[in-house]
Amino acid sequence: MKVDGKHTRTIWVEADGKTVGTIDQTLLPHRYATIRLDTAGDVARAIKTMHVRGAPLIGAAAAYGMALAARQDASDAALERAYALLIATRPTAINLKWALDEMMASLRNRARDERMAAAYRRAAEIADEDVEINAAIGRHGLKLIEEIAAKKPGAPVNVLTHCNAGWLATVDWGTATSPIYQAHDKGVPVHVWVDETRPRNQGASLTAWELGQHGVKHTVIPDNTGGHLMQHRQVDIAIVGTDRVTAQGDVANKIGTYLKALAAKDNGVPFYVALPSPTIDFTVVDGVTEIPIEQRSADEVTTMTGRTADGRIESVRIVPDGSNVANYGFDVTPARLITGLITERGVIAATREALAQAFPERAA
Ligand code: MRU
């Protein structure tokens, strides 16, 4: 998608052909800056500190992390060390493990002197595949938006989304935002309710920024507003992303997604989840008991960071000293609350049968 009118992806190999560039997502929306990653350790730190985030981008970054590791030392032991370092960065997004396993599968049985080139090649393929997958998700999701638009001629389709499942969270297009961008580009009027998404504000800081860059109308709302809007028929469809989908169609996504799905069910609002197939984890079934939920630092809750009137970026404390804080990064929305899954192979039911039928090679 575009940054100041220039087509940009979220991850690339720099002109030196070795180091990897990415966008520093901790500075947005106040500053657009890129960072250069030189080692697998740099990539692991960038993922852990959320300079790089969003399930598909975490996967692509980890793949490049393996390529950077292979550049330094392509021995089995070094690759295994890099795998262990990268897999430990974040526990919920399964794209991380998927990408690392893909890299290992393409490197393990190769001669050592071929591994570095093969690693860069496979990482680039993983990034390119993500772009293609998300474009296909957009084409399928577009039909849902067009169906709604046909029933309210001239009026915008109101989409609610949570967190940032936009192009910043992927290599390009985004998952939940891909149908939105494609509708906008086709001239279908669309307006997005953007949940701010406490505590890290990925909605207010990232989704709002990228929709604004692309010229998509949007309104940022405090996280608890969605239910009220749904009761007053101001949400036509909810589309969110996901970090892991189980074999039976349960969905882990940013904390607060479950409450939106409950409100959507109560109000008859269609609730869709957009996902690339690497986000499906066929090894787990019951999302609530089986998906590991990341718990992050209390600082993310006790402080807020923003821009002061004179342009400085500052953090301020908003919780009394001494109060206990809990910071669960994700929750699980059971399949029964999901209207459909928007995948690269079409819109399917959130059921074990539909997932296995759409992705037989993965289900096996
Ligand atoms: O903690 P984050 O910012 O990595 O969480 C991101 C989300 O929850 C996204 O919705 C999810 O990764 C899907 S991104 C296409």
Side-chain angles (χ1 to χ4, degrees):
M1 305 304 289
K2 293 201 171 103
V3 179
D4 295 333
K6 186 175 160 236
H7 184 255
T8 309
R9 281 188 177 187
T10 55
I11 195 159
W12 57 89
V13 176
E14 294 284 4
D16 61 13
K18 298 173 190 161
T19 55
V20 173
T22 189
I23 300 167
D24 182 349
Q25 299 200 22
T26 64
L27 298 178
L28 288 170
H30 310 299
R31 234 180 90 203
Y32 176 82
T34 62
I35 44 177
R36 194 182 278 252
L37 308 167
D38 196 20
T39 64
D42 289 349
V43 175
R45 262 187 303 282
I47 295 174
K48 223 177 168 58
T49 52
M50 292 178 65
H51 287 74
V52 164
R53 46 146 299 282
L57 179 57
I58 290 169
Y64 277 114
M66 292 299 290
L68 292 169
R71 180 163 64 88
Q72 283 192 321
D73 179 350
S75 66
D76 286 355
L79 294 179
E80 274 155 26
R81 274 198 304 278
Y83 184 108
L85 180 72
L86 290 160
I87 195 88
T89 50
R90 296 196 69 190
T92 304
I94 197 64
N95 306 58
L96 174 62
K97 180 171 187 304
W98 174 85
L100 290 171
D101 288 345
E102 286 289 310
M103 293 301 288
M104 276 309 217
S106 77
L107 300 181
R108 196 175 285 121
N109 296 324
R110 267 179 213 280
R112 203 164 145 168
D113 61 349
E114 291 174 3
R115 283 179 174 176
M116 183 185 90
Y120 276 92
R121 241 186 351 260
R122 184 66 191 119
E125 279 168 13
I126 286 174
D128 289 346
E129 281 162 19
D130 183 64
V131 179
E132 276 169 37
I133 286 173
N134 298 334
I137 287 172
R139 287 194 294 277
H140 296 302
L142 168 63
K143 290 186 204 130
L144 300 172
I145 294 178
E146 284 179 322
E147 278 165 24
I148 296 167
K151 289 185 198 140
K152 45 187 306 202
V157 175
N158 289 304
V159 184
L160 182 138
T161 194
H162 190 70
C163 193
N164 173 259
W167 75 268
L168 289 168
T170 65
V171 179
D172 206 350
W173 284 110
T175 57
T177 55
S178 187
I180 295 168
Y181 287 130
Q182 296 200 29
H184 173 84
D185 291 354
K186 219 179 150 184
V188 180
V190 59
H191 163 261
V192 186
W193 295 111
V194 179
D195 282 354
E196 63 174 346
T197 320
R198 280 280 290 151
R200 289 188 67 100
N201 300 314
Q202 289 95 328
S205 298
L206 304 178
T207 306
W209 179 81
E210 61 165 84
L211 290 173
Q213 287 284 326
H214 201 75
V216 178
K217 287 205 178 86
H218 60 280
T219 305
V220 178
I221 47 174
D223 283 329
N224 298 320
T225 310
H228 169 77
L229 292 174
M230 290 181 197
Q231 285 175 325
H232 290 271
R233 316 314 310 161
Q234 291 191 66
V235 180
D236 295 306
I237 183 172
I239 311 179
V240 301
T242 169
D243 291 79
R244 196 185 298 215
V245 176
T246 72
Q248 67 179 13
D250 296 341
V251 161
N253 192 47
K254 182 54 57 190
I255 193 83
T257 303
Y258 170 49
L259 292 178
K260 293 298 135 61
L262 283 172
K265 186 79 172 178
D266 193 44
N267 289 283
V269 173
F271 188 91
Y272 284 91
V273 179
L275 64 130
S277 55
T279 306
I280 308 168
D281 181 356
F282 279 103
T283 70
V284 293
V285 178
D286 177 24
V288 174
T289 57
E290 294 181 74
I291 296 179
I293 299 296
E294 178 177 18
Q295 292 189 55
R296 295 185 62 86
S297 151
D299 297 347
E300 293 182 348
V301 179
T302 57
T303 60
M304 284 190 85
T305 302
R307 190 180 59 204
T308 61
D310 59 358
R312 284 170 297 118
I313 307 297
E314 287 209 346
S315 292
V316 292
R317 190 174 172 97
I318 58 166
V319 174
D321 291 330
S323 289
N324 288 331
V325 163
N327 186 9
Y328 294 91
F330 300 90
D331 60 24
V332 172
T333 300
R336 65 175 184 277
L337 299 178
I338 298 166
T339 311
L341 303 173
I342 310 172
T343 78
E344 70 264 33
R345 295 192 184 161
V347 180
I348 63 171
T351 62
R352 190 191 275 263
E353 298 70 31
L355 278 160
Q357 204 182 350
F359 298 99
E361 74 287 7
R362 299 283 317 284

